[in-house]
Amino acid sequence: MNATRRDFLKTSMAMAAAAALANPAKLFASGTKKTGQSQKASSSEKMVLTFEPFEARMKHVFTISGSSRSTTPIVLTRISYQGHVGYGEASMPPYLGESSASVMDFLRRVDLSRFSSPFQMEEILTYVDNITTNNTAAKCAVDIALHDLCGKLMGQPWWKIWGWSNKNLPSTCVTVGLAYAPDGSIDREEVRKKTLETLDYNLIKVKLGNTGENDKTMINTIREVTNLPIVVDANQGWKEKGYALSMIEWLAARGVEMVEQPMPKLLLDEAAWLRDRSPLPIMADEACQRLSDVRKLYGAYDGINIKLMKCTGMREAREMITLAKALNMRIMMGCMTETSVAISAAAQFASQLEWADLDGNWLIANDIFTGMKVVDGYITLEDKPGIGVEPL
Ligand code: MG
């Protein structure tokens, strides 16, 4: 019996060592490894921030107007305090200008030991925001971990702390990315295949903003497979307002219900012209980064796409929702390529959203957390405290 138990322990230790080599981030998530630390864990009464890089592998090469990639750099964060751990994450798609190195440089400057309680959230997150002007994803990684920690200390999820509901939540849309043949035309077979993988959802998101021919081929190919409603993201790809309007009219006739960022983000007068004439609602994504942008966009767009990585996290996202509602603007929440940590943080807002684009964890092959579940295409929220995630 003893020998058997000894063997079991030996095997477990060997397996743990092998797992550490294969996936260090997994051990980080479960709390056994710290590769970055912003301050010494001198007292269990103090918050301790730790962090580690992680590479998210995409299930498919992801192409939007202007770029393609198969991995996304992420930095995972943890804030430990009195035996509780809050998880956070920064995701850095290349166009945002942050990298694992810049995020970790930022996190090394965050000194949480100067605060006595994680419930000093306003003070802590204002301090974090004031460290630099940009670094929104790095700031978000602290914000999410702090929210997760405080929710756990209170024993409640944030959707409930904020007084919101977990009933009748929206569907999340799921993205069918662009796929090109070697000659630069749309790879129709690949698009059909990708579309078939999305049919368990209720809403498809399509990335356009290409040439008119390719854009129309994408929609026509998807329509050969399904009549599910579509939202379109042009990622600033249509450069001229008359052309943008003609595309939107063409899309409206094919079951598209909303268009995100049709034109370049700085063209506000053109966006207002387009909004006055468009048969579909126009949402600002690249044009809307933080709270201070919302008022500028009023009148030019019907609504805003909030992303935690753009706006520094859950605290500011909630303020943006309050302001957008006051301005009678429509609200959507999107994501980057993210693990279930950031997706579950965003899902806390689900009851406030007209459109949810929270498929970032579905798009990656190596998620190391479990959190928000999509059931029959709909976002669901449980009673698990904080942001409701656990390491896998
Ligand atoms: Mg977008």
Side-chain angles (χ1 to χ4, degrees), residues 205 207 233 235 260 285-286 305 307:
K205 176 163 167 173
K207 299 283 199 176
D233 188 352
N235 286 116
E260 199 180 312
D285 182 6
E286 286 85 342
N305 183 355
K307 291 177 182 166

